[in-house]
Amino acid sequence: MHKVLFGTAALLVLVTNGSAALIYAPNGLARPISGPDTLIVFDSADPKGFVTIGSMNVPNIGFGGMEFDRQGNLWAYASIYKPTGGAAGGLYKVNMQTGAATVQGTLSSQPLEDLAFNPVNDTMYGIRTQNNVTKLYTVNLTTGAVSAVGAFTGLPSTHHAMGFAIDSAGAFYVHDLHNDKIFRGTGLELTELYALPQDTNFSQGMTIDWSRDNLGYHAAVGYGVYPHYFSQVNTFRTDGSSYVLGPDFGPELPDGMPPVECGDVAIMPVPEPASVALLVIGTLLRRR
């Protein structure tokens, strides 16, 4: 793993260690809280060294889903409304050099908790939980249209699916925020894969590095020892063999909140990450 240093900031240039990845995320704890989310990038092995690329420029909206397609385009889905309100839900394309998000196609009235790209059929999917029913949707990357596929089975009678990921074989992974569990299925029928060792309370990010090693990443946020919070990046194996608590995003802010609350996490498929990281570095250099 190689890093380039600019003053006190460290930014990953090239990931060479299979246990680390360059991760992009919408940070829902931008200040002020009513302002736009920010796009951040960080090394999964050192999230406290995260770099803020820029504002996503959509005020009063929280991005609950973020994902790359096979071509390396970065997408985000807005459906989590901040306290001051907002009505700009739908699919956005994200500029990786500035962080700015632009509406793709037509805005949607269909909320989604998370996005995940299926490399088997090159389709973007999303999930939505309502009244303890979690449905799978397809998301058209040209028009922004969202279409229901069907409802998942195998989840607890009371649940709230928040995180969603897909592996290289097209299997689905769903994080149930209410019961602190991750479920897996090759279709709409899910079975429990992990009972998490944490109480995950807030917006979560989950992705699987499907183009490299199928390692799963879970950006977990929740209550720590009162009145403190935790915000960290955990990893998991898709075969159910291990879920490992990972490093955090650093000390809490003066108001007691963590510095980062990932609405989702996204990893660009190979062979692009090195060139993308260099673009980010170039952007940062131009700002200095």
Side-chain angles (χ1 to χ4, degrees), residues 124-145:
M124 190 71 77
Y125 288 90
I127 59 169
R128 170 65 173 169
T129 300
Q130 191 171 20
N131 299 323
N132 295 305
V133 175
T134 299
K135 292 183 179 181
L136 178 70
Y137 295 83
T138 58
V139 182
N140 188 303
L141 297 182
T142 300
T143 66

Side-chain angles (χ1 to χ4, degrees), residues 235-278:
T235 58
F236 63 92
R237 297 289 178 185
T238 56
D239 61 3
S241 62
S242 67
Y243 181 95
V244 179
L245 299 181
D248 61 35
F249 283 97
E252 64 187 28
L253 301 175
D255 61 5
M257 298 298 288
V260 169
E261 182 182 356
C262 295
D264 197 11
V265 283
I267 300 172
M268 185 178 238
V270 292
E272 302 299 335
S275 60
V276 171
L278 290 173

Side-chain angles (χ1 to χ4, degrees), residues 17-213:
N17 185 339
S19 64
L22 187 66
I23 296 180
Y24 291 79
N27 183 10
L29 289 179
R31 296 298 191 271
I33 196 66
S34 62
D37 285 3
T38 57
L39 179 68
I40 65 171
V41 61
F42 59 92
D43 172 0
S44 64
D46 182 30
K48 67 179 178 296
F50 73 91
V51 171
T52 298
I53 296 175
S55 171
M56 297 187 74
N57 285 338
V58 188
N60 304 315
I61 283 292
F63 285 94
M66 179 168 280
E67 183 65 292
F68 285 97
D69 61 24
R70 187 184 296 277
Q71 287 71 42
N73 300 303
L74 184 58
W75 304 93
Y77 201 91
S79 59
I80 301 175
Y81 302 106
K82 295 190 176 182
T84 50
L91 183 67
Y92 287 72
K93 193 170 186 179
V94 181
N95 185 316
M96 297 172 60
Q97 297 183 61
T98 67
T102 304
V103 173
Q104 181 74 10
T106 304
L107 291 172
S108 175
S109 61
Q110 176 59 61
L112 295 176
E113 269 83 15
D114 202 353
L115 291 178
F117 182 76
N118 189 338
V120 174
N121 61 6
D122 287 340
T123 300
M124 190 71 77
Y125 288 90
I127 59 169
R128 170 65 173 169
T129 300
Q130 191 171 20
N131 299 323
N132 295 305
V133 175
T134 299
K135 292 183 179 181
L136 178 70
Y137 295 83
T138 58
V139 182
N140 188 303
L141 297 182
T142 300
T143 66
V146 177
S147 303
V149 175
F152 287 105
T153 61
L155 292 167
S157 57
T158 301
H159 70 270
H160 189 161
M162 181 63 73
F164 182 46
I166 302 175
D167 67 19
S168 62
F172 299 132
Y173 298 77
V174 174
H175 167 223
D176 173 12
L177 185 74
H178 181 81
N179 297 285
D180 297 313
K181 293 182 176 182
I182 292 177
F183 295 80
R184 180 186 186 277
T186 55
L188 293 175
E189 184 176 351
L190 303 175
T191 57
E192 183 180 324
L193 184 68
Y194 290 109
L196 304 185
Q198 294 174 306
D199 182 9
T200 52
N201 307 98
F202 304 104
S203 61
Q204 311 292 302
M206 189 166 73
T207 193
I208 292 172
D209 195 358
W210 54 263
S211 71
R212 297 175 184 82
D213 54 11

